Amino acid sequence: PREWYQLFWLKFPKFVIGFLVLSAALTLIRELDPPENHGGRFIAREMMQEVSRWWFTLGFVGVGLASQFSTLYANIMRGVDTSKLSACQKLRIAMKPISVYLVGQSFNLLLTFTIAYIMFRNYELGQE
């Protein structure tokens, strides 16, 4: 049973915790400083919406960019007898899959920026 909890925590998307904390904080702020105090405007919500948009954009762009090159290298070199290879030969063997990985990540990043641009090109700051 303990392994299940560890696996769950390892695979659990941590941003959900941030979302719940932010929701609780906004609820608390709204209760402590109601919009009636500011002529019907909920200033904290407006500020948090802007911050939320930026964090969403950064999160959206950052999906998939968590790269662990040491793990990638270990998987590439698994099954290869490296005892008689020079450093240059090891690098040549490792660079083919790493190059494909980097090209894929670059394409992913370019595609993500393009989609974000298309989605937000008509957005003006201060607009709902």
Side-chain angles (χ1 to χ4, degrees):
R2 182 168 173 84
E3 294 86 21
W4 183 85
Y5 293 120
Q6 290 173 340
L7 181 63
F8 177 77
W9 181 250
L10 181 67
K11 300 292 183 180
F12 183 75
K14 309 301 186 290
F15 73 89
V16 172
I17 296 170
F19 176 78
L20 293 174
V21 169
L22 183 62
S23 296
L26 282 176
T27 302
L28 184 65
I29 289 171
R30 185 178 181 100
E31 293 302 318
L32 295 176
D33 191 19
E36 295 78 35
N37 293 351
H38 305 285
R41 291 182 60 208
F42 185 37
I43 294 173
R45 187 186 97 203
E46 293 170 10
M47 290 186 325
M48 293 306 284
Q49 281 179 335
E50 194 61 36
V51 170
S52 173
R53 285 186 187 114
W54 279 104
W55 279 112
F56 173 77
T57 303
L58 288 173
F60 184 72
V61 170
V63 169
L65 293 181
S67 306
Q68 296 180 355
F69 289 105
S70 60
T71 305
L72 181 63
Y73 181 77
N75 287 334
I76 291 168
M77 299 309 276
R78 187 178 18 195
V80 176
D81 182 18
T82 59
S83 62
K84 297 179 182 172
L85 296 177
S86 68
C88 186
Q89 290 170 322
K90 290 178 188 177
L91 184 62
R92 189 175 299 136
I93 291 170
M95 280 312 293
K96 286 183 182 180
I98 289 175
S99 298
V100 171
Y101 175 79
L102 291 175
V103 168
Q105 285 292 350
S106 299
F107 177 74
N108 182 24
L109 188 62
L110 182 65
L111 182 66
T112 303
F113 275 130
T114 303
I115 291 171
Y117 173 75
I118 290 169
M119 289 176 64
F120 299 117
R121 69 178 171 218
N122 294 328
Y123 175 76
E124 293 181 25
L125 290 177
Q127 249 185 353
E128 289 281 328

